[in-house]
Structures are given as structure tokens and as C-alpha cells.
Amino acid sequence: MLRQFRVLWIALFLAGYGLAFGDSIPAGNAPAPGSEGDTLTKVDKRMAYLVYKLLDKDGKIKGANLERGEKLFYQNCRGCHGTDGMRVDFTPTEARPTYLGKRAREDMPTFWYQMNFGDDSREGMNPFYDEIELDEMVDIAGYAQTLP
Ligand code: HEC
């Protein structure tokens, strides 16, 4: 699962590099959203947005309002994940637990994917793509990186 997202991350990076510096599609001439040439899925777009607009070189979310993120986390996530994000251990079969804060700090692409699109392979984590606005997700993601 995690490896899968790392591969996606790299693929998006390369695709973006090609778009930015390659000569196939001139900059500023991207296909109109919804047009025939617009082949990116909403998953591609959300993941690319993370990689290009939100992550700094250390994998930290840029420009998050942590105060608002805390409130939104409290409203939307705390019920299941706990106030500190430590109610659910994502790696119960491994010796060391992985909680939400650790996941957010060390593997934001996975965190971002799961928050947006949920988890098909496991019960319980629902997609928030249609529930929470993008700018609010940025704040939640930034706040989650501060959790233990
Ligand atoms: C209804 C309960 C519920 C709510 C609400 C909820 N989650 Fe989850 N979440 C889960 C469950 C259950 C899992 C899967 C845990 C497992 O099986 O390892 C999960 C998994 C995740 C994962 C995957 C972590 C990993 O790497 O495996 C992330 C990230 C996550 N949740 C973030 C959030 C965020 C952010 C919110 C609030 C916007 C949220 N969740 C709200 C129940 C919930």
C-alpha cells in the first residue's frame, strides 16, 4: 500500500517535470478542464496539487493555518482517531505503532490520499473529498503533522 503511493508520487513528479520542461505541451496551454485533452483523473489532480503546491522539500505542508486545522481535526477526525491521533495504530502487526501524526509527517502522500479518497482495502476510513473543502484539508494535513 505505502510503496504504491511512493511510486505514484515519483510518477507524478516525472509527469510534472515533463509538463513543465518538456516541449510537448507549452506552459500555460494546459487542456481546458473537462475537454478531450484533459485526461487527468480527480485522483491525479489532487495528488499533483499536493506535490506541486503544498509540499516543501522536507515533505511538510506549506501555508497551513494550524489553529483552524486543529478545529477541523477536532470536528472531523477526532471521533475515530482520538484527540492526539493515537487511537488507531495503522501498523498493528509491526513492532512499532504508526499513528496519524507519524504518517502525516513521514508520508504525506499516503495521508493525503487516504483523507481525500478513503481506503478501499480497510473498513472505516471514508473519503472526505466531497465533504471537506480543499483549503480546509490543507489545514488539517498541516495540523496532523504536529501530532505525536
Ligand atoms: C468513522 C471513523 C473515522 C473518521 C471520522 C476518520 N477516520 Fe481516518 N481512519 C479510520 C479507520 C478505521 C482507518 C483505518 C485504520 C486501519 O485499519 O489501520 C483510518 C485510516 C486513516 C488514514 C490512513 C493511515 C495509514 O497510513 O494507514 C488516514 C491518513 C486517516 N485515517 C486520516 C483521517 C483524517 C485526516 C480524518 C478527518 C478528516 C479521518 N481520518 C477521519 C476511521 C476514521
Side-chain angles (χ1 to χ4, degrees), residues 76-77 80-81 88-90 100 103 110-111 114-115 122-125 128 132 140:
N76 296 289
C77 321
C80 298
H81 290 283
V88 186
D89 171 12
F90 301 127
L100 208 53
R103 184 65 83 223
T110 293
F111 180 98
Q114 303 267 353
M115 174 167 61
R122 292 179 303 189
E123 293 276 314
M125 184 55 197
F128 284 92
I132 299 179
I140 294 175

PDB file of all heavy atoms in Angstrom, residues 76-77 80-81 88-90 100 103 110-111 114-115 122-125 128 132 140, ligand 1:
ATOM      1  N   ASN A  76     -13.822  16.649  12.616  1.00  0.00           N
ATOM      2  CA  ASN A  76     -13.972  15.613  11.584  1.00  0.00           C
ATOM      3  C   ASN A  76     -13.224  14.312  11.848  1.00  0.00           C
ATOM      4  O   ASN A  76     -13.603  13.276  11.308  1.00  0.00           O
ATOM      5  CB  ASN A  76     -13.494  16.148  10.234  1.00  0.00           C
ATOM      6  CG  ASN A  76     -14.339  17.298   9.736  1.00  0.00           C
ATOM      7  OD1 ASN A  76     -15.484  17.095   9.355  1.00  0.00           O
ATOM      8  ND2 ASN A  76     -13.808  18.492   9.765  1.00  0.00           N
ATOM      9  N   CYS A  77     -12.165  14.360  12.601  1.00  0.00           N
ATOM     10  CA  CYS A  77     -11.276  13.201  12.688  1.00  0.00           C
ATOM     11  C   CYS A  77     -11.164  12.621  14.097  1.00  0.00           C
ATOM     12  O   CYS A  77     -10.960  11.430  14.270  1.00  0.00           O
ATOM     13  CB  CYS A  77      -9.874  13.575  12.218  1.00  0.00           C
ATOM     14  SG  CYS A  77      -9.834  14.678  10.789  1.00  0.00           S
ATOM     15  N   CYS A  80     -12.818   9.253  15.657  1.00  0.00           N
ATOM     16  CA  CYS A  80     -12.245   7.917  15.420  1.00  0.00           C
ATOM     17  C   CYS A  80     -10.764   7.855  15.771  1.00  0.00           C
ATOM     18  O   CYS A  80     -10.290   6.861  16.296  1.00  0.00           O
ATOM     19  CB  CYS A  80     -12.415   7.518  13.966  1.00  0.00           C
ATOM     20  SG  CYS A  80     -14.140   7.387  13.473  1.00  0.00           S
ATOM     21  N   HIS A  81     -10.025   8.907  15.444  1.00  0.00           N
ATOM     22  CA  HIS A  81      -8.569   8.837  15.595  1.00  0.00           C
ATOM     23  C   HIS A  81      -8.081   9.331  16.958  1.00  0.00           C
ATOM     24  O   HIS A  81      -6.906   9.181  17.281  1.00  0.00           O
ATOM     25  CB  HIS A  81      -7.873   9.624  14.483  1.00  0.00           C
ATOM     26  CG  HIS A  81      -8.003   8.962  13.152  1.00  0.00           C
ATOM     27  ND1 HIS A  81      -7.243   7.875  12.794  1.00  0.00           N
ATOM     28  CD2 HIS A  81      -8.837   9.199  12.111  1.00  0.00           C
ATOM     29  CE1 HIS A  81      -7.589   7.484  11.571  1.00  0.00           C
ATOM     30  NE2 HIS A  81      -8.561   8.262  11.134  1.00  0.00           N
ATOM     31  N   VAL A  88      -5.937   4.992  16.747  1.00  0.00           N
ATOM     32  CA  VAL A  88      -5.785   3.893  15.783  1.00  0.00           C
ATOM     33  C   VAL A  88      -4.313   3.725  15.427  1.00  0.00           C
ATOM     34  O   VAL A  88      -3.652   4.683  15.027  1.00  0.00           O
ATOM     35  CB  VAL A  88      -6.575   4.175  14.478  1.00  0.00           C
ATOM     36  CG1 VAL A  88      -6.530   2.968  13.559  1.00  0.00           C
ATOM     37  CG2 VAL A  88      -8.017   4.557  14.774  1.00  0.00           C
ATOM     38  N   ASP A  89      -3.841   2.499  15.593  1.00  0.00           N
ATOM     39  CA  ASP A  89      -2.481   2.144  15.169  1.00  0.00           C
ATOM     40  C   ASP A  89      -2.587   1.538  13.764  1.00  0.00           C
ATOM     41  O   ASP A  89      -3.259   0.538  13.565  1.00  0.00           O
ATOM     42  CB  ASP A  89      -1.891   1.143  16.170  1.00  0.00           C
ATOM     43  CG  ASP A  89      -0.568   0.556  15.693  1.00  0.00           C
ATOM     44  OD1 ASP A  89       0.005   1.086  14.715  1.00  0.00           O
ATOM     45  OD2 ASP A  89      -0.118  -0.426  16.309  1.00  0.00           O
ATOM     46  N   PHE A  90      -1.914   2.153  12.800  1.00  0.00           N
ATOM     47  CA  PHE A  90      -2.042   1.696  11.409  1.00  0.00           C
ATOM     48  C   PHE A  90      -1.161   0.494  11.103  1.00  0.00           C
ATOM     49  O   PHE A  90      -1.271  -0.086  10.030  1.00  0.00           O
ATOM     50  CB  PHE A  90      -1.692   2.832  10.445  1.00  0.00           C
ATOM     51  CG  PHE A  90      -2.568   4.038  10.635  1.00  0.00           C
ATOM     52  CD1 PHE A  90      -2.007   5.283  10.830  1.00  0.00           C
ATOM     53  CD2 PHE A  90      -3.942   3.923  10.632  1.00  0.00           C
ATOM     54  CE1 PHE A  90      -2.809   6.402  11.023  1.00  0.00           C
ATOM     55  CE2 PHE A  90      -4.752   5.033  10.829  1.00  0.00           C
ATOM     56  CZ  PHE A  90      -4.180   6.270  11.026  1.00  0.00           C
ATOM     57  N   LEU A 100      -1.418   8.621  13.459  1.00  0.00           N
ATOM     58  CA  LEU A 100      -1.726   9.608  12.430  1.00  0.00           C
ATOM     59  C   LEU A 100      -0.623  10.660  12.266  1.00  0.00           C
ATOM     60  O   LEU A 100      -0.270  11.023  11.143  1.00  0.00           O
ATOM     61  CB  LEU A 100      -3.053  10.288  12.780  1.00  0.00           C
ATOM     62  CG  LEU A 100      -3.875  10.831  11.622  1.00  0.00           C
ATOM     63  CD1 LEU A 100      -4.119   9.795  10.562  1.00  0.00           C
ATOM     64  CD2 LEU A 100      -5.189  11.387  12.146  1.00  0.00           C
ATOM     65  N   ARG A 103       2.373   9.237  10.410  1.00  0.00           N
ATOM     66  CA  ARG A 103       2.055   9.064   8.993  1.00  0.00           C
ATOM     67  C   ARG A 103       2.067  10.405   8.275  1.00  0.00           C
ATOM     68  O   ARG A 103       2.623  10.537   7.183  1.00  0.00           O
ATOM     69  CB  ARG A 103       0.677   8.391   8.837  1.00  0.00           C
ATOM     70  CG  ARG A 103       0.310   8.099   7.417  1.00  0.00           C
ATOM     71  CD  ARG A 103       1.222   7.071   6.763  1.00  0.00           C
ATOM     72  NE  ARG A 103       0.826   5.725   7.082  1.00  0.00           N
ATOM     73  CZ  ARG A 103       1.684   4.748   7.405  1.00  0.00           C
ATOM     74  NH1 ARG A 103       2.973   4.973   7.445  1.00  0.00           N
ATOM     75  NH2 ARG A 103       1.257   3.537   7.672  1.00  0.00           N
ATOM     76  N   THR A 110       0.543   9.471   1.308  1.00  0.00           N
ATOM     77  CA  THR A 110      -0.399   8.446   1.769  1.00  0.00           C
ATOM     78  C   THR A 110      -1.499   9.072   2.622  1.00  0.00           C
ATOM     79  O   THR A 110      -2.686   8.802   2.440  1.00  0.00           O
ATOM     80  CB  THR A 110       0.340   7.357   2.576  1.00  0.00           C
ATOM     81  OG1 THR A 110       1.206   6.656   1.687  1.00  0.00           O
ATOM     82  CG2 THR A 110      -0.631   6.378   3.202  1.00  0.00           C
ATOM     83  N   PHE A 111      -1.091   9.935   3.535  1.00  0.00           N
ATOM     84  CA  PHE A 111      -2.078  10.630   4.374  1.00  0.00           C
ATOM     85  C   PHE A 111      -3.089  11.367   3.504  1.00  0.00           C
ATOM     86  O   PHE A 111      -4.299  11.239   3.671  1.00  0.00           O
ATOM     87  CB  PHE A 111      -1.351  11.621   5.292  1.00  0.00           C
ATOM     88  CG  PHE A 111      -2.275  12.394   6.196  1.00  0.00           C
ATOM     89  CD1 PHE A 111      -2.471  11.998   7.504  1.00  0.00           C
ATOM     90  CD2 PHE A 111      -2.948  13.516   5.732  1.00  0.00           C
ATOM     91  CE1 PHE A 111      -3.330  12.708   8.339  1.00  0.00           C
ATOM     92  CE2 PHE A 111      -3.808  14.224   6.553  1.00  0.00           C
ATOM     93  CZ  PHE A 111      -4.001  13.822   7.859  1.00  0.00           C
ATOM     94  N   GLN A 114      -5.481   9.112   1.579  1.00  0.00           N
ATOM     95  CA  GLN A 114      -6.492   8.480   2.433  1.00  0.00           C
ATOM     96  C   GLN A 114      -7.535   9.485   2.909  1.00  0.00           C
ATOM     97  O   GLN A 114      -8.719   9.170   2.972  1.00  0.00           O
ATOM     98  CB  GLN A 114      -5.828   7.835   3.646  1.00  0.00           C
ATOM     99  CG  GLN A 114      -4.769   6.818   3.281  1.00  0.00           C
ATOM    100  CD  GLN A 114      -5.296   5.414   3.201  1.00  0.00           C
ATOM    101  OE1 GLN A 114      -6.431   5.153   3.542  1.00  0.00           O
ATOM    102  NE2 GLN A 114      -4.467   4.507   2.759  1.00  0.00           N
ATOM    103  N   MET A 115      -7.107  10.689   3.233  1.00  0.00           N
ATOM    104  CA  MET A 115      -8.065  11.705   3.680  1.00  0.00           C
ATOM    105  C   MET A 115      -9.019  12.060   2.530  1.00  0.00           C
ATOM    106  O   MET A 115     -10.213  12.222   2.736  1.00  0.00           O
ATOM    107  CB  MET A 115      -7.314  12.955   4.152  1.00  0.00           C
ATOM    108  CG  MET A 115      -8.237  14.118   4.490  1.00  0.00           C
ATOM    109  SD  MET A 115      -7.441  15.456   5.395  1.00  0.00           S
ATOM    110  CE  MET A 115      -6.154  16.002   4.275  1.00  0.00           C
ATOM    111  N   ARG A 122      -9.507  -1.285   3.589  1.00  0.00           N
ATOM    112  CA  ARG A 122      -9.807  -1.426   5.007  1.00  0.00           C
ATOM    113  C   ARG A 122     -11.124  -0.741   5.321  1.00  0.00           C
ATOM    114  O   ARG A 122     -11.470   0.256   4.714  1.00  0.00           O
ATOM    115  CB  ARG A 122      -8.691  -0.797   5.851  1.00  0.00           C
ATOM    116  CG  ARG A 122      -7.401  -1.555   5.750  1.00  0.00           C
ATOM    117  CD  ARG A 122      -6.328  -0.892   6.568  1.00  0.00           C
ATOM    118  NE  ARG A 122      -6.135   0.499   6.168  1.00  0.00           N
ATOM    119  CZ  ARG A 122      -5.134   1.236   6.610  1.00  0.00           C
ATOM    120  NH1 ARG A 122      -4.280   0.768   7.453  1.00  0.00           N
ATOM    121  NH2 ARG A 122      -5.005   2.474   6.202  1.00  0.00           N
ATOM    122  N   GLU A 123     -11.791  -1.265   6.303  1.00  0.00           N
ATOM    123  CA  GLU A 123     -13.064  -0.682   6.715  1.00  0.00           C
ATOM    124  C   GLU A 123     -12.821   0.597   7.505  1.00  0.00           C
ATOM    125  O   GLU A 123     -11.830   0.728   8.200  1.00  0.00           O
ATOM    126  CB  GLU A 123     -13.793  -1.667   7.637  1.00  0.00           C
ATOM    127  CG  GLU A 123     -14.239  -2.940   6.957  1.00  0.00           C
ATOM    128  CD  GLU A 123     -15.572  -2.770   6.261  1.00  0.00           C
ATOM    129  OE1 GLU A 123     -16.480  -2.195   6.886  1.00  0.00           O
ATOM    130  OE2 GLU A 123     -15.692  -3.195   5.107  1.00  0.00           O
ATOM    131  N   GLY A 124     -13.748   1.516   7.410  1.00  0.00           N
ATOM    132  CA  GLY A 124     -13.786   2.586   8.399  1.00  0.00           C
ATOM    133  C   GLY A 124     -13.350   3.946   7.928  1.00  0.00           C
ATOM    134  O   GLY A 124     -13.895   4.940   8.367  1.00  0.00           O
ATOM    135  N   MET A 125     -12.355   4.005   7.064  1.00  0.00           N
ATOM    136  CA  MET A 125     -11.877   5.325   6.644  1.00  0.00           C
ATOM    137  C   MET A 125     -12.593   5.736   5.367  1.00  0.00           C
ATOM    138  O   MET A 125     -12.369   5.181   4.301  1.00  0.00           O
ATOM    139  CB  MET A 125     -10.364   5.300   6.454  1.00  0.00           C
ATOM    140  CG  MET A 125      -9.776   6.659   6.114  1.00  0.00           C
ATOM    141  SD  MET A 125     -10.214   7.927   7.345  1.00  0.00           S
ATOM    142  CE  MET A 125      -9.855   9.407   6.410  1.00  0.00           C
ATOM    143  N   PHE A 128     -13.119  11.965   2.202  1.00  0.00           N
ATOM    144  CA  PHE A 128     -13.603  13.292   2.584  1.00  0.00           C
ATOM    145  C   PHE A 128     -13.576  14.258   1.402  1.00  0.00           C
ATOM    146  O   PHE A 128     -13.820  15.445   1.585  1.00  0.00           O
ATOM    147  CB  PHE A 128     -12.757  13.839   3.737  1.00  0.00           C
ATOM    148  CG  PHE A 128     -13.095  13.203   5.064  1.00  0.00           C
ATOM    149  CD1 PHE A 128     -12.410  12.085   5.506  1.00  0.00           C
ATOM    150  CD2 PHE A 128     -14.120  13.699   5.846  1.00  0.00           C
ATOM    151  CE1 PHE A 128     -12.732  11.487   6.711  1.00  0.00           C
ATOM    152  CE2 PHE A 128     -14.452  13.110   7.058  1.00  0.00           C
ATOM    153  CZ  PHE A 128     -13.755  12.001   7.493  1.00  0.00           C
ATOM    154  N   ILE A 132     -15.052  17.900   2.725  1.00  0.00           N
ATOM    155  CA  ILE A 132     -14.210  18.946   3.284  1.00  0.00           C
ATOM    156  C   ILE A 132     -13.558  19.715   2.134  1.00  0.00           C
ATOM    157  O   ILE A 132     -13.032  19.113   1.201  1.00  0.00           O
ATOM    158  CB  ILE A 132     -13.119  18.324   4.197  1.00  0.00           C
ATOM    159  CG1 ILE A 132     -13.783  17.571   5.365  1.00  0.00           C
ATOM    160  CG2 ILE A 132     -12.171  19.393   4.731  1.00  0.00           C
ATOM    161  CD1 ILE A 132     -12.797  16.911   6.318  1.00  0.00           C
ATOM    162  N   ILE A 140      -5.895  20.788   7.920  1.00  0.00           N
ATOM    163  CA  ILE A 140      -5.922  19.520   8.671  1.00  0.00           C
ATOM    164  C   ILE A 140      -4.604  18.776   8.485  1.00  0.00           C
ATOM    165  O   ILE A 140      -4.007  18.279   9.445  1.00  0.00           O
ATOM    166  CB  ILE A 140      -7.096  18.633   8.208  1.00  0.00           C
ATOM    167  CG1 ILE A 140      -8.431  19.281   8.573  1.00  0.00           C
ATOM    168  CG2 ILE A 140      -6.991  17.240   8.832  1.00  0.00           C
ATOM    169  CD1 ILE A 140      -9.651  18.538   8.037  1.00  0.00           C
TER     170      ILE A 140
HETATM  171  C1  HEC B   1     -15.597   6.975  11.196  1.00  0.00           C
HETATM  172  C2  HEC B   1     -14.266   6.886  11.722  1.00  0.00           C
HETATM  173  C3  HEC B   1     -13.184   7.727  11.078  1.00  0.00           C
HETATM  174  C4  HEC B   1     -13.162   9.073  10.863  1.00  0.00           C
HETATM  175  C5  HEC B   1     -14.247  10.089  11.173  1.00  0.00           C
HETATM  176  C6  HEC B   1     -11.866   9.356  10.276  1.00  0.00           C
HETATM  177  N1  HEC B   1     -11.152   8.229  10.153  1.00  0.00           N
HETATM  178 FE1  HEC B   1      -9.299   8.062   9.330  1.00  0.00          FE
HETATM  179  N2  HEC B   1      -9.384   6.057   9.541  1.00  0.00           N
HETATM  180  C7  HEC B   1     -10.373   5.359  10.176  1.00  0.00           C
HETATM  181  C8  HEC B   1     -10.050   3.947  10.152  1.00  0.00           C
HETATM  182  C9  HEC B   1     -10.898   2.848  10.776  1.00  0.00           C
HETATM  183  C10 HEC B   1      -8.843   3.819   9.459  1.00  0.00           C
HETATM  184  C11 HEC B   1      -8.105   2.538   9.111  1.00  0.00           C
HETATM  185  C12 HEC B   1      -7.298   2.085  10.255  1.00  0.00           C
HETATM  186  C13 HEC B   1      -6.637   0.776   9.966  1.00  0.00           C
HETATM  187  O1  HEC B   1      -7.321  -0.169   9.654  1.00  0.00           O
HETATM  188  O2  HEC B   1      -5.414   0.723  10.026  1.00  0.00           O
HETATM  189  C14 HEC B   1      -8.434   5.154   9.097  1.00  0.00           C
HETATM  190  C15 HEC B   1      -7.285   5.450   8.408  1.00  0.00           C
HETATM  191  C16 HEC B   1      -6.846   6.732   8.160  1.00  0.00           C
HETATM  192  C17 HEC B   1      -5.627   7.052   7.491  1.00  0.00           C
HETATM  193  C18 HEC B   1      -4.664   6.035   6.909  1.00  0.00           C
HETATM  194  C19 HEC B   1      -3.419   5.965   7.689  1.00  0.00           C
HETATM  195  C20 HEC B   1      -2.459   4.964   7.113  1.00  0.00           C
HETATM  196  O3  HEC B   1      -1.395   5.368   6.730  1.00  0.00           O
HETATM  197  O4  HEC B   1      -2.776   3.791   7.035  1.00  0.00           O
HETATM  198  C21 HEC B   1      -5.514   8.393   7.453  1.00  0.00           C
HETATM  199  C22 HEC B   1      -4.408   9.217   6.843  1.00  0.00           C
HETATM  200  C23 HEC B   1      -6.690   8.931   8.095  1.00  0.00           C
HETATM  201  N3  HEC B   1      -7.486   7.898   8.520  1.00  0.00           N
HETATM  202  C24 HEC B   1      -6.937  10.275   8.270  1.00  0.00           C
HETATM  203  C25 HEC B   1      -8.126  10.782   8.724  1.00  0.00           C
HETATM  204  C26 HEC B   1      -8.432  12.195   8.772  1.00  0.00           C
HETATM  205  C27 HEC B   1      -7.485  13.303   8.384  1.00  0.00           C
HETATM  206  C28 HEC B   1      -9.711  12.299   9.234  1.00  0.00           C
HETATM  207  C29 HEC B   1     -10.520  13.544   9.400  1.00  0.00           C
HETATM  208  C30 HEC B   1     -10.640  14.398   8.248  1.00  0.00           C
HETATM  209  C31 HEC B   1     -10.198  10.945   9.466  1.00  0.00           C
HETATM  210  N4  HEC B   1      -9.207  10.070   9.165  1.00  0.00           N
HETATM  211  C32 HEC B   1     -11.462  10.640   9.941  1.00  0.00           C
HETATM  212  C33 HEC B   1     -11.515   5.889  10.722  1.00  0.00           C
HETATM  213  C34 HEC B   1     -11.898   7.205  10.637  1.00  0.00           C
END
